[in-house]
Amino acid sequence: MTTFWISTGVVLAAIASALWLVTRWGTARIEARFPAPGKFVSTSTAPLHLVERGSLSDKCPSLLFVHGASSNHREFQIALEDKLQQRFGDDQHRVFVDRPGQGNSPRKWGDHSPRVQADRIAEAVRRLGVDHVIVIGHSWGGAVVAQLAVHHRELVRGAVFVAPATHPWEGGGWGGVTWYYGTACLPVIGHLFTELITLPVGWNQINDGVENVFAPEVPVQGYASELGARLVLRPSSFRANAQDVFQLRPFVRAESHSYASIQCPVHVITGDQDGVVWPHIHSDGLERDIKGATKTVIAGGGHMPHHTHGDLILDCISEVYRSASANA
């Protein structure tokens, strides 16, 4: 019996070592393929990585883009940058951020809070010399946009919510989210899970995930490779992303009442077939809670309208931009 347990322990240790080495190799390969292309801006807590395009202006608000879960600053860049350049030109300042723990931005304890992330982003863009922004957020990033609009009113001139996740939802089990997010948040087990399992198992499942998030629409060709989708499989990023997702529901349950205080121009865009975040909860909730908010529903649209309906997103941004300028 003793020999059995010793042999079993040796086999398990060998498997764990192999998985750890694969994870280290995969992490190094991903980071070499997608180095930080922008700048790191110091804040009072931790640096924030962001990419700037266009020229900063004292007269015009900057466009600030906040990505969702399992993503990074490239999310809006690859979807809209060419269109933004054509629509606004070099005179329009644009900022694409990596939220804390994603892309190239480091993570601190407590960074799962959309309020904390909003505060750090606001501090970082102010240090760039930005005085006013139109902020655009996708999915989980919509919760950050809401916090920016509530708590940084002097900065935010307008807000665009793209397939946002902003309100509490029902669900049992792992807090109404997929099981692996809850597992990754567990003490000890979660650390082992992300250090040994998530990258080796997830490496070849990226394309399936992309199809699910675009459904029922067709994924944009080359999306995963341009985004650097495997960046989220790095242990630290996977844990950070899991904390963000797992902790979102209790946060918005406590904070969504504050959306009624948002006074800037707001446009909400959603697909009526979005199966990732439910429009009847989140987008309808924003339209209900924010006085004067405009909502656009895309018939047959899924969770990625900034990729599949980019011109519409730019039209909505332009509309908010004009309204904000008229109210200035």
Side-chain angles (χ1 to χ4, degrees):
M1 184 63 71
T2 301
T3 302
F4 169 79
W5 286 114
I6 292 174
S7 299
T8 301
V10 169
V11 170
L12 291 176
I15 293 172
S17 297
L19 291 171
W20 185 86
L21 288 172
V22 169
T23 299
R24 300 278 75 74
W25 169 82
T27 297
R29 179 178 174 183
I30 294 166
E31 291 181 342
R33 173 70 176 80
F34 295 97
K39 64 174 65 173
F40 290 89
V41 179
S42 297
T43 71
S44 56
T45 51
L48 193 77
H49 176 256
L50 53 83
V51 172
E52 290 183 275
R53 293 290 184 266
S55 302
L56 184 62
S57 170
D58 294 333
K59 298 180 180 179
C60 301
S62 299
L63 301 181
L64 171 63
F65 294 88
V66 183
H67 65 82
S70 306
S71 192
N72 58 72
H73 74 271
R74 296 176 183 85
E75 180 68 58
F76 276 112
Q77 264 200 303
I78 61 178
L80 299 178
E81 179 58 20
D82 288 346
K83 294 179 183 294
L84 287 164
Q85 181 65 30
Q86 293 170 7
R87 179 77 63 99
F88 296 105
D90 289 330
D91 292 336
Q92 176 60 56
H93 187 234
R94 307 179 288 277
V95 181
F96 304 87
V97 302
D98 279 332
R99 292 192 295 100
Q102 301 305 312
N104 298 102
S105 289
R107 183 84 162 187
K108 298 279 286 185
W109 180 258
D111 280 352
H112 62 271
S113 165
R115 171 66 190 278
V116 171
Q117 296 194 19
D119 290 347
R120 186 173 305 167
I121 291 170
E123 183 180 357
V125 297
R126 285 190 179 101
R127 294 198 176 192
L128 295 175
V130 173
D131 294 322
H132 301 105
V133 299
I134 305 297
V135 61
I136 305 97
H138 174 238
S139 194
W140 201 99
V144 177
V145 169
Q147 293 302 299
L148 283 163
V150 170
H151 297 287
H152 298 275
R153 298 179 190 178
E154 74 289 351
L155 176 67
V156 177
R157 288 284 183 86
V160 178
F161 294 86
V162 182
T166 50
H167 286 70
W169 62 93
E170 298 300 321
W174 292 98
V177 299
T178 308
W179 67 270
Y180 48 76
Y181 291 128
T183 301
C185 292
L186 292 172
V188 183
I189 293 174
H191 190 80
L192 292 173
F193 181 66
T194 54
E195 290 290 337
L196 304 179
I197 303 298
T198 53
L199 187 145
V201 172
W203 189 272
N204 290 321
Q205 296 184 4
I206 290 294
N207 289 332
D208 290 341
V210 169
E211 289 183 3
N212 289 336
V213 81
F214 271 86
E217 297 180 282
V218 177
V220 173
Q221 186 173 7
Y223 166 77
S225 58
E226 286 191 64
L227 178 71
R230 290 192 176 100
L231 283 164
V232 77
L233 298 177
R234 297 171 298 172
S236 61
S237 291
F238 198 94
R239 284 194 295 273
N241 190 58
Q243 290 166 0
D244 287 350
V245 174
F246 191 68
Q247 296 291 340
L248 182 62
R249 185 169 68 164
F251 179 87
V252 295
R253 181 181 288 120
E255 295 295 328
S256 57
H257 67 88
S258 67
Y259 302 163
S261 68
I262 296 175
Q263 298 178 353
C264 64
V266 168
H267 202 122
V268 184
I269 305 103
T270 184
D272 64 359
Q273 299 300 309
D274 188 341
V276 178
V277 298
W278 294 323
H280 72 279
I281 293 176
H282 305 279
S283 295
D284 289 3
L286 287 171
E287 183 184 32
R288 177 193 66 234
D289 294 342
I290 302 174
K291 184 178 180 180
T294 301
K295 184 180 70 175
T296 295
V297 179
I298 301 169
H303 189 59
M304 306 292 275
H306 48 305
H307 288 280
T308 57
H309 301 273
D311 288 329
L312 171 63
I313 303 301
L314 257 67
D315 288 343
C316 295
I317 293 172
S318 297
E319 176 193 309
V320 169
Y321 199 109
R322 288 191 295 270
S323 297
S325 299
N327 294 339

